[in-house]
Amino acid sequence: MTDFLKLRKPDVCKDSFVIENLDPTGRNKFGCYFYNLNAGFTPLKIRYNERNGNLTIEGSISFFWQGHNFGFQNSQLIQALEYCSEVLCVNLMDFEVDSFEFGRMLSVEANPGYILKNHLALPKHSFHPHFTKNGELTGIEFSDPIRKVKMYN
């Protein structure tokens, strides 16, 4: 399942995509315009850099399309990207992927809390725990310069 995406296309002329369907959220002194695409459950962030022509789209495509990331299939990813392409009048399939987040749901026989606690006990690994406000362990995260691994109960 794909969740977060950051797509970028360089050298885009401002007149070559449609901003009428976007909600402007700001502009900075470096020539970047910020918008939200609010056509789904959760907005996608759109950024256009007037200086270099970079058009960037980022956000959780699964939350945008269906309001959550459970059971988000590749066919839904394609539908969501095609829909966004139509709204913006650009082909997102031509964009470069700067980053993406994907996941897999596994059903395990052991208690998930037990598995999470054992991963925290591994030496030489920098797993960072996630806790609820009550102090209950809900997940762990490992990251290095090129990847991030998360496990949740």
Side-chain angles (χ1 to χ4, degrees):
M1 132 196 88
T2 303
D3 189 0
F4 177 86
L5 285 176
K6 184 176 180 183
L7 307 173
R8 181 179 48 87
K9 185 167 186 174
D11 302 320
V12 175
C13 175
K14 189 172 185 179
D15 297 332
S16 67
F17 65 97
V18 175
I19 63 170
E20 285 77 21
N21 298 321
L22 303 176
D23 296 324
T25 59
R27 179 181 178 198
N28 67 22
K29 63 182 178 180
F30 304 109
C32 283
Y33 294 84
F34 302 93
Y35 306 93
N36 279 345
L37 176 56
N38 287 314
F41 288 91
T42 303
L44 294 175
K45 295 180 189 287
I46 313 291
R47 182 175 63 246
Y48 179 70
N49 186 323
E50 200 169 48
R51 289 186 180 173
N52 61 19
N54 276 344
L55 180 60
T56 305
I57 299 161
E58 67 179 287
S60 173
I61 197 75
S62 58
F63 274 84
F64 170 80
W65 193 245
Q66 66 180 20
H68 57 84
N69 61 2
F70 294 104
F72 192 65
Q73 303 295 318
N74 287 341
S75 60
Q76 292 171 291
L77 171 64
I78 299 299
Q79 288 173 347
L81 292 175
E82 287 173 346
Y83 172 79
C84 292
S85 293
E86 288 177 24
V87 169
L88 296 169
C89 293
V90 294
N91 185 358
L92 294 185
M93 301 305 182
D94 291 339
F95 280 52
E96 299 172 8
V97 177
D98 281 347
S99 64
F100 69 97
E101 181 180 309
F102 67 96
R104 176 91 174 141
M105 288 183 227
L106 302 172
S107 180
V108 294
E109 291 183 25
N111 180 322
Y114 178 76
I115 294 170
L116 294 175
K117 287 177 186 172
N118 280 320
H119 275 82
L120 286 174
L122 290 172
K124 297 183 183 178
H125 288 84
S126 56
F127 285 100
H128 303 287
H130 293 271
F131 296 100
T132 64
K133 291 179 183 176
N134 307 3
E136 180 184 340
L137 180 65
T138 60
I140 58 173
E141 181 177 304
F142 165 81
S143 61
D144 66 22
I146 62 169
R147 69 183 160 254
K148 184 186 293 186
V149 177
K150 300 178 190 176
M151 290 188 284
Y152 294 101
N153 182 355

